[in-house]
Amino acid sequence: MNLTSLFTGGIDKVIDSIGNAFDELFTSDDERNKAKIKLMQIRQDAHIESFKLANAYEQSIDKRWKSDNEHFITRLVRPAIVIFLFVLFGAVVISDGNIGQFKINPAYIPVLQTLLVTVTVAYFGSRGAEKISKTLKKE
């Protein structure tokens, strides 16, 4: 189900059933054709209105995302996560079982490796995408 069908609410089915009822009510072809044209206009107006509502909904989401990115705390989330994970990784590597010898507990390796790779790629990848999109918008 797409957003447009959500706003139209099945108006096509209703109009089709009304059109079928009109076929039985009207006796002349002229009356029947006028009614069908009016129903087609109503259907078209309903679709146009649903597209307008869907567009307004998408614009409200865009405005909310823009306002969320204007606050300094939301801008610091990604860098803070990267810094936290690198500090955590360093603390675990240095402290876990390293009294007298340097040894990393094998249980930490896959989890920290996945976190570090994912966060690093996501952070630098998204920053690169943001810079590219800003450059393209300026041109």
Side-chain angles (χ1 to χ4, degrees):
M1 173 184 258
N2 62 18
L3 196 58
T4 304
S5 66
L6 177 69
F7 287 119
T8 57
I11 192 139
D12 290 337
K13 293 178 185 176
V14 172
I15 289 177
D16 287 339
S17 64
I18 292 172
N20 293 335
F22 280 170
D23 286 341
E24 296 174 9
L25 290 174
F26 295 118
T27 55
S28 73
D29 287 339
D30 187 44
E31 288 177 336
R32 189 176 298 118
N33 288 335
K34 284 181 182 178
K36 285 186 179 182
I37 289 171
K38 184 65 176 171
L39 282 174
M40 289 169 54
Q41 182 64 38
I42 291 170
R43 177 186 289 168
Q44 184 179 10
D45 291 345
H47 281 290
I48 289 171
E49 187 63 27
S50 70
F51 284 120
K52 287 179 182 177
L53 289 171
N55 190 25
Y57 176 75
E58 293 295 328
Q59 287 178 352
S60 70
I61 290 174
D62 289 346
K63 287 179 184 176
R64 189 178 73 233
W65 284 351
K66 287 178 184 177
S67 69
D68 287 348
N69 287 330
E70 291 174 359
H71 199 274
F72 77 96
I73 291 177
T74 57
R75 289 184 183 176
L76 291 178
V77 169
R78 284 183 300 187
I81 290 172
V82 170
I83 291 168
F84 173 74
L85 285 175
F86 279 113
V87 168
L88 176 66
F89 180 72
V92 168
V93 167
I94 293 170
S95 66
D96 189 30
N98 288 325
I99 306 227
Q101 63 181 6
F102 186 74
K103 178 182 169 187
I104 299 174
N105 188 340
Y108 294 122
I109 294 174
V111 174
L112 290 172
Q113 183 179 19
T114 303
L115 285 173
L116 285 168
V117 169
T118 303
V119 169
T120 304
V121 169
Y123 176 74
F124 290 109
S126 65
R127 291 292 295 155
E130 286 176 8
K131 289 181 181 186
I132 290 171
S133 69
K134 284 181 183 179
T135 303
L136 292 176
K137 285 181 182 178
K138 289 180 183 177
E139 292 178 358

